[in-house]
């Protein structure tokens, strides 16, 4: 494994705990110290020469260069695997006798000691034996394996970004709305984070449509009108497209009149929010 950052460290620790023969190749003195600090085994030149699978847990921009530097050092037939969600296998360059693949855990890792279990990992490779190895890795770490077609990788990664960073961005708009009501960011997050978690539990239990709640789900155009008048312009610009998306989820349950009223309110040129003092 190349890299002992948050993801590299978490993956190495998880695999080592399941008795996989993991060695970590540090690219700097600082990285070497992290490897030792995590109780992992540094990779020797012999380890690199004999590796069957080499995982690149490095920043996306570094993948092509690190891959090219490693190819001459790896045995013929060894697998070179990156862990970047946005990069195709082409980022690893020409095979040159190597098997190529990707292993992208869909989990926000903030510390190497974070558990990966219970999440999903996206896999891609043209090699049947490497696919089997990566799926076995996923199973042992507690990850659900998901195969991603190379041609649709950008759409897959966009969806992953929306479900993580997109949710945080939407939450920041909710905090801004609370601020317009005179509520501090600290108090807003203390109130909104449990609400967000409860909404996600509803989706987990009942699916997207049944888990969606609020005035859109009730067809309450009056409440939506009040929201748009009260919100700062930049927050209203977030509220409208998200609410239109919600209307697509639940519109089939509303009367034609209620659905039409909401569509008019949520149009891009909808009623302007109240001016700020």
């Amino acid at each position: 494994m190349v890299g002992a950052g948050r993801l590299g460290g978490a993956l190495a620790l998880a695999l080592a705990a399941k008795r996989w023969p993991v060695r970590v190749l540090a690219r700097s003195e600082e990285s070497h110290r992290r490897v030792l600090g995590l109780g992992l085994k540094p990779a020797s030149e012999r380890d690199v020469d004999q590796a069957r699978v080499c995982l690149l847990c490095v920043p996306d921009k570094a993948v092509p260069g690190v891959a090219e530097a490693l190819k001459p050092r790896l045995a013929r037939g060894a697998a070179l695997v990156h862990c970047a969600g946005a990069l195709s296998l082409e980022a690893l360059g020409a095979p040159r006798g190597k098997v190529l693949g990707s292993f992208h855990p869909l989990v926000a890792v903030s510390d190497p000691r974070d558990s990966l279990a219970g999440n999903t990992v996206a896999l891609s490779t043209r090699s049947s034996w490497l696919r089997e190895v990566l799926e076995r890795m996923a199973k042992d770490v507690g990850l659900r394996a998901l195969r991603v077609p190379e041609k649709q990788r950008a759409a897959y990664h966009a969806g992953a970004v929306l479900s993580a960073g997109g949710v945080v961005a939407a939450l920041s708009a909710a905090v801004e709305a609370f601020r317009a009501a005179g509520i501090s960011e600290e108090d807003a997050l203390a109130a909104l984070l449990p609400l967000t978690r409860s909404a996600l539990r509803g989706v987990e239990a009942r699916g997207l449509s049944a888990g969606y709640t609020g005035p859109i789900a009730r067809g309450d155009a009056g409440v939506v009108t009040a929201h748009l008048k009260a919100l700062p312009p930049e927050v209203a610009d977030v509220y409208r497209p998200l609410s239109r998306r919600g209307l697509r989820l639940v519109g089939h349950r509303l009367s034609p009149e209620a659905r039409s009223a909401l569509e008019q309110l949520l149009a891009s040129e909808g009623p302007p929010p109240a001016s700020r003092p």
Side-chain angles (χ1 to χ4, degrees):
M1 185 170 298
V2 183
R6 292 172 295 181
L7 176 60
L11 191 53
L13 286 171
L15 289 170
K18 292 295 183 178
R19 299 188 178 181
W20 283 69
V22 178
R23 300 292 183 272
V24 183
L25 181 63
R27 297 191 299 144
S28 67
E29 284 299 321
E30 181 183 356
S31 181
H32 184 76
R33 288 193 293 270
R34 282 201 302 270
V35 172
L36 296 177
L38 291 171
L40 295 167
K41 297 181 179 179
S44 65
E45 288 297 324
R46 183 179 180 184
D47 291 327
V48 177
D49 293 341
Q50 296 182 344
R52 291 291 312 280
V53 177
C54 180
L55 285 166
L56 305 185
C57 296
V58 299
D60 289 16
K61 291 183 178 179
V63 167
V66 174
E68 286 306 308
L70 279 170
K71 282 177 186 176
R73 301 173 60 184
L74 295 170
R76 184 174 182 82
L80 195 57
V81 181
H82 70 62
C83 296
L87 300 182
S88 70
L89 298 184
E90 293 178 357
L92 295 169
R96 297 183 191 174
K98 306 297 183 292
V99 177
L100 307 181
S102 68
F103 187 92
H104 177 235
L106 280 87
V107 52
V109 181
S110 57
D111 185 273
R113 294 178 178 83
D114 286 352
S115 173
L116 302 176
N119 295 285
T120 293
V121 61
L123 309 178
S124 179
T125 182
R126 300 181 182 92
S127 164
S128 58
W129 79 261
L130 178 58
R131 183 178 297 108
E132 182 180 339
V133 170
L134 295 179
E135 288 178 347
R136 193 162 71 248
M137 282 173 47
K139 182 179 180 181
D140 283 355
V141 172
L143 293 166
R144 174 180 175 272
L146 175 70
R147 297 184 187 181
V148 176
E150 281 295 296
K151 291 182 178 180
Q152 282 76 45
R153 178 177 286 273
Y156 145 77
H157 192 247
V161 168
L162 284 170
S163 73
V167 171
V168 175
L171 189 58
S172 74
V175 169
E176 183 66 22
F178 267 45
R179 186 178 291 118
I183 301 169
S184 70
E185 178 175 334
E186 181 181 3
D187 287 341
L189 285 173
L192 292 171
L193 284 172
L195 176 59
T196 300
R197 285 191 287 266
S198 69
L200 294 177
R201 287 195 297 271
V203 172
E204 186 174 25
R206 292 175 286 279
L208 289 168
S209 178
Y212 184 79
T213 62
I216 300 295
R218 299 192 299 270
D220 196 333
V223 169
V224 174
T225 299
H227 288 175
L228 291 170
K229 288 181 178 179
L231 290 174
E234 63 272 19
V235 180
D237 288 343
V238 176
Y239 183 98
R240 282 194 182 92
L242 288 178
S243 296
R244 288 198 297 268
R245 188 74 193 183
L247 187 56
R248 290 182 60 181
L249 286 174
V250 300
H252 63 282
R253 302 204 302 261
L254 303 178
S255 69
E257 294 78 15
R259 186 168 62 248
S260 177
L262 288 170
E263 287 171 348
Q264 292 180 32
L265 281 172
L266 297 171
S268 298
E269 64 277 13
S275 59
R276 301 181 73 175

